[in-house]
Amino acid sequence: MRTLSAVAGAAVLVWNLAGLARAEVPCAQTLDAPLRPRAVLRVHSRPAGLEIVGTDQAAIHVSCTSGSEGDAERIRIRLKGNQDDGTLTIAGDLREGNDVRVRIEVPRKTSLRVEMSAGEVKVEEIAGDKDIDLYAGRIAISSTRPWDYRSVDVSVSIGAVKAPVYGAEKGGFFRSITKETADGEYSLHAHVITGEIALLGRSLHATTD
């Protein structure tokens, strides 16, 4: 029995050290797993308010709140993958007006791929590639660190693009801001069909198209 217990314990330890295979919790609980800097994280969510924040930890920490305890139990947060490539899914009974807020803390140098139908996506202090698509709502990307993008392509079909970092603001139909910088490191793509995109960071000497 002691031998079997030791083997089982070792198997759990190896699984943890190798990275996350799959985890799932209700909105009322937090989710934690290892995530290396420069990992790729995909986020798929039903309508909600997402706040994705960069930290100095080599881990992902997800917390969630909802308008009622019952809704929090019905909403599921799922993470699968490993320490270098993961997919986070927020699914379940996300009823209109239940005020679901999800905070996702990741290493600062994480590449993000985010898809959500409606709501708000706030990305703060993350230096990595970003690809964010939203049908309706608002995307806000902010950083107090250097705005280090080699390629920027942000657009709305109907709405506004506000980019103080580039000294630009455009509103109306099919508005966009594009920028190429030879010495930049990361790429940024963001699109909202109906809504707003805000780029907030250090001012650079840049021109926009």
Side-chain angles (χ1 to χ4, degrees):
M1 291 298 292
R2 289 181 180 179
T3 302
L4 290 176
S5 298
V7 171
V12 171
L13 179 60
V14 170
W15 183 84
N16 286 335
L17 290 176
L20 179 74
R22 184 177 181 88
E24 179 173 331
V25 298
C27 177
Q29 297 180 18
T30 59
L31 187 152
D32 295 272
L35 189 69
R36 293 192 179 103
R38 298 188 181 277
V40 176
L41 179 66
R42 300 168 187 82
V43 181
H44 304 288
S45 179
R46 296 285 299 277
L50 301 184
E51 183 181 15
I52 309 174
V53 181
T55 74
D56 293 325
Q57 303 300 313
I60 178 172
H61 174 78
V62 185
S63 57
C64 174
T65 62
S66 182
S68 73
E69 183 177 344
D71 285 340
E73 288 297 325
R74 285 187 288 268
I75 298 165
R76 312 300 295 182
I77 299 174
R78 304 185 184 106
L79 180 63
K80 64 179 181 179
N82 55 50
Q83 298 180 59
D84 297 303
D85 191 323
T87 299
L88 181 71
T89 303
I90 297 99
D93 187 8
L94 305 188
R95 301 173 183 173
E96 183 177 357
N98 65 357
D99 193 26
V100 176
R101 310 293 300 182
V102 181
R103 180 180 172 89
I104 305 166
E105 299 176 17
V106 297
R108 294 188 191 282
K109 292 187 177 182
T110 298
S111 292
L112 297 174
R113 309 285 185 267
V114 182
E115 293 183 0
M116 188 167 68
S117 57
E120 181 179 35
V121 179
K122 295 172 62 178
V123 178
E124 302 175 356
E125 303 299 340
I126 293 181
D129 296 334
K130 299 171 184 68
D131 189 346
I132 305 173
D133 283 287
L134 184 63
Y135 289 120
R138 183 174 186 266
I139 296 172
I141 299 171
S142 63
S143 179
T144 58
R145 298 167 184 261
W147 194 259
D148 190 17
Y149 292 101
R150 70 178 182 277
S151 174
V152 173
D153 177 14
V154 299
S155 61
V156 297
S157 299
I158 304 173
V161 178
K162 300 178 180 180
V165 67
Y166 294 123
E169 181 173 337
K170 301 180 179 182
F173 293 89
F174 304 108
R175 311 306 292 170
S176 65
I177 291 176
T178 60
K179 177 73 176 70
E180 298 289 337
T181 305
D183 57 354
E185 184 174 358
Y186 305 107
S187 64
L188 167 60
H189 169 269
H191 179 67
V192 177
I193 294 179
T194 303
E196 177 183 294
I197 297 175
L199 306 180
L200 309 169
R202 289 188 186 181
S203 297
L204 300 176
H205 298 292
T207 59
T208 58
D209 300 324

